[in-house]
Amino acid sequence: MVSSASEEAGIGKSLEGVSKGQQMENGTPLTSPPYWDSDDDGGPKPVELYGKYTWKIDKFSQINKRELRSNVFEVGGYKWYILIYPQGCDVSSHLSLFLCVANHDNLLPGWSHLAQFTISVVNKDPKKSKYSVANFSADTLHHFWKKEHDWGWKKFMDLSKVVDGFLDSDTLIIKAQVQVIMERADRPFHCLDFQYRRELVRVYLTDVEKICHHFVAERRGKLGKFIGDKARWSSFCAFWLGIDQNSRRRMSREKSDQILKMVVKNFFIEKEVTSTLVMDSLYSGLKALVGQSNGQTGKGKHLDAVEQTVPIVSMENDMFVLVDDVLILLERAVLEPFPPKDEKGPQNHTNEDTSGEDTNRDSIQRDERLLTELGRQTIEIFVFAHIFSKIEVAYEEAVALKKLEELSTEEAV
């Protein structure tokens, strides 16, 4: 952490300003899939909590101050500034760079801001820009509070590289994107502005896939192991079929709020930059699941992955409910195919040199449809595994009671 105290901003600093997030790319509105950006939970939306800031530092090579701060800018209702150390903060030969809460001394006790941010030093050749989202991803999601009101990188960039195309007429340009996160503990929540999410998807979609695939594979493995134990499976089937229909129906449902709290606790990990994309995926997947339960269909293209999938879980009011008998759904839960991994990677979907905006828009919707389906299947298997675990406990208790009764009978004889 660095000190919040700094000198006044120095030589030739100019400001381009702050811009709010808009769903546009190259001046063209982007069509968002039906389950994205459709907040109905109240409170500010991610687009209202996102902003960009550009800081131009003139005569950079002539600066002899130890530290330099930008003008204050506002994003998400909070005030921020960028702090740089042109010769490094406690390190040598590096540009140190931090995002800071501007008025932390005047905020009420107990204040905190959760924010994801990306900072780039702009190169004359944009392809060579050093984007912090790619190189310092572990630190781009941070909970700002009294003792951590600034966050960033002491070794953001080697000073020898600054002159290698990053200075244009001795002007250094720093751009920041800040997304304030309104987190929730009770259910998956929408984190990211559409525009900002697109940039993160290009880098982290593969990581989100791995997280979801790993969780689902682990849960399916446990369920498959249960089915694979022939003696136990046969015993369980006899137990289940011996229960009356009302008891089976009651055991095949669970309060949604209890499960969704566990989903958030399991998947939202502060300091993990992928957590916001995972949460958006789960948010969208839950919307898709609710839409399926209500018989709703989406609009636009690329709907097959979500809307043609036969669910194993539905929502009825405030309950998650298994859509069929648990014996049938167990096999489906184990065998249902997962969305195939994109071997090309999301970075190759968007190419400014290609001829078609339609191709770009198609790739955007394809990626976000994949995120929706990843979220839907992850929530489904989470819900199913939870409900089945409670059924399994009832089964184990019934087996234990039967053994106890058999022992009592033997002792009586």
Side-chain angles (χ1 to χ4, degrees):
M1 245 187 39
V2 300
S3 170
S4 63
S6 68
E7 300 173 353
E8 288 295 318
I11 301 173
K13 187 176 59 176
S14 62
L15 170 71
E16 281 191 0
V18 183
S19 60
K20 297 291 181 65
Q22 297 179 350
Q23 295 181 18
M24 305 280 289
E25 186 157 303
N26 297 326
T28 302
L30 291 174
T31 302
S32 184
Y35 302 116
W36 290 101
D37 304 311
S38 56
D39 302 88
D40 52 13
D41 302 323
K45 298 180 181 181
V47 66
E48 299 166 344
L49 301 173
Y50 168 75
K52 295 181 178 182
Y53 178 80
T54 299
W55 182 21
K56 289 185 177 181
I57 306 173
D58 296 329
K59 301 180 180 179
F60 182 81
S61 64
Q62 300 178 32
I63 294 175
N64 56 13
K65 295 183 178 182
R66 179 174 181 268
E67 56 186 59
L68 201 65
R69 66 168 66 181
S70 72
N71 287 336
V72 173
F73 59 95
E74 186 170 335
V75 173
Y78 304 118
K79 294 181 179 180
W80 313 85
Y81 66 89
I82 300 169
L83 175 66
I84 69 167
Y85 290 75
Q87 301 300 320
C89 174
D90 301 328
V91 296
S92 60
S93 304
H94 282 83
L95 175 68
S96 301
L97 194 153
F98 304 87
L99 179 69
C100 310
V101 177
N103 56 341
H104 62 90
D105 286 334
N106 299 324
L107 298 177
L108 294 175
W111 69 269
S112 67
H113 311 335
L114 179 64
Q116 184 153 349
F117 63 95
T118 300
I119 298 180
S120 61
V121 174
V122 179
N123 198 297
K124 285 185 292 186
D125 179 358
K127 295 180 181 179
K128 292 183 180 179
S129 293
K130 187 178 182 66
Y131 283 93
S132 61
V133 69
N135 294 286
F136 300 95
S137 60
D139 293 333
T140 53
L141 179 64
H142 182 65
H143 222 139
F144 292 85
W145 63 295
K146 181 179 180 180
K147 293 186 177 181
E148 291 184 353
H149 50 77
D150 43 35
W151 200 254
W153 305 269
K154 289 187 175 182
K155 293 185 177 181
F156 183 83
M157 185 178 184
D158 193 308
L159 286 175
S160 63
K161 295 181 180 179
V162 173
V163 296
D164 184 20
F166 287 87
L167 290 180
D168 187 4
S169 300
D170 206 21
T171 296
L172 187 70
I173 300 176
I174 297 174
K175 291 188 176 183
Q177 298 181 76
V178 180
Q179 175 75 70
V180 174
I181 309 294
M182 293 297 182
E183 57 188 319
R184 299 181 57 163
D186 60 329
R187 64 193 296 113
F189 51 93
H190 192 182
C191 296
L192 302 169
D193 166 75
F194 183 82
Q195 183 182 31
Y196 190 32
R197 185 172 62 245
R198 280 309 311 149
E199 296 194 19
L200 296 177
V201 162
R202 292 181 183 123
V203 180
Y204 293 114
L205 178 58
T206 301
D207 295 317
V208 174
E209 284 184 283
K210 289 178 180 177
I211 291 168
C212 293
H213 274 262
H214 176 76
F215 175 83
V216 172
E218 183 181 45
R219 291 299 189 274
R220 285 179 175 174
K222 292 180 179 179
L223 296 173
K225 187 176 180 180
F226 186 92
I227 295 175
D229 187 334
K230 300 301 182 184
R232 195 179 187 198
W233 176 242
S234 177
S235 173
F236 176 80
C237 290
F239 157 77
W240 185 252
L241 295 174
I243 297 176
D244 65 88
Q245 194 68 29
N246 287 334
S247 296
R248 283 194 235 170
R249 189 178 295 111
R250 186 180 66 255
M251 296 170 71
S252 298
R253 57 182 58 220
E254 184 64 68
K255 283 276 191 180
S256 60
D257 57 352
Q258 298 175 9
I259 297 179
L260 292 176
K261 286 179 183 178
M262 291 187 288
V263 170
V264 174
K265 186 176 181 180
N266 189 83
F267 287 101
F268 192 74
I269 304 171
E270 289 188 12
K271 302 289 187 183
E272 291 290 340
V273 68
T274 52
S275 288
T276 52
L277 265 182
V278 171
M279 198 52 51
D280 269 17
S281 175
L282 295 170
Y283 174 88
S284 177
L286 179 61
K287 289 273 189 180
L289 189 60
V290 172
Q292 286 179 325
S293 302
N294 295 335
Q296 298 173 354
T297 57
K299 300 177 182 179
K301 299 187 291 183
H302 311 296
L303 305 181
D304 292 347
V306 176
E307 295 182 354
Q308 292 185 5
T309 303
V310 180
I312 61 176
V313 173
S314 67
M315 286 197 72
E316 296 179 6
N317 298 320
D318 61 345
M319 304 288 289
F320 280 118
V321 182
L322 302 186
V323 300
D324 208 336
D325 188 86
V326 70
L327 301 181
I328 297 173
L329 294 180
L330 260 173
E331 295 184 350
R332 276 192 51 204
V334 172
L335 299 175
E336 182 181 4
F338 212 66
K341 293 183 178 181
D342 191 339
E343 300 299 332
K344 293 182 179 180
Q347 295 91 333
N348 293 329
H349 287 170
T350 306
N351 188 344
E352 295 179 357
D353 295 330
T354 59
S355 58
E357 289 182 1
D358 290 340
T359 300
N360 185 37
R361 188 174 290 107
D362 285 352
S363 71
I364 290 172
Q365 291 209 0
R366 182 169 57 248
D367 287 346
E368 300 219 8
R369 281 293 166 189
L370 174 57
L371 282 172
T372 298
E373 180 61 3
L374 288 169
R376 186 197 67 79
Q377 287 201 19
T378 300
I379 287 180
E380 269 204 330
I381 201 68
F382 193 107
V383 172
F384 182 82
H386 177 77
I387 292 176
F388 180 73
S389 69
K390 299 186 73 173
I391 296 174
E392 188 179 4
V393 168
Y395 160 68
E396 298 290 356
E397 290 176 348
V399 170
L401 181 61
K402 183 178 180 180
K403 288 182 178 179
L404 185 60
E405 291 174 348
E406 289 174 351
L407 286 173
S408 298
T409 301
E410 290 177 1
E411 290 176 357
V413 174

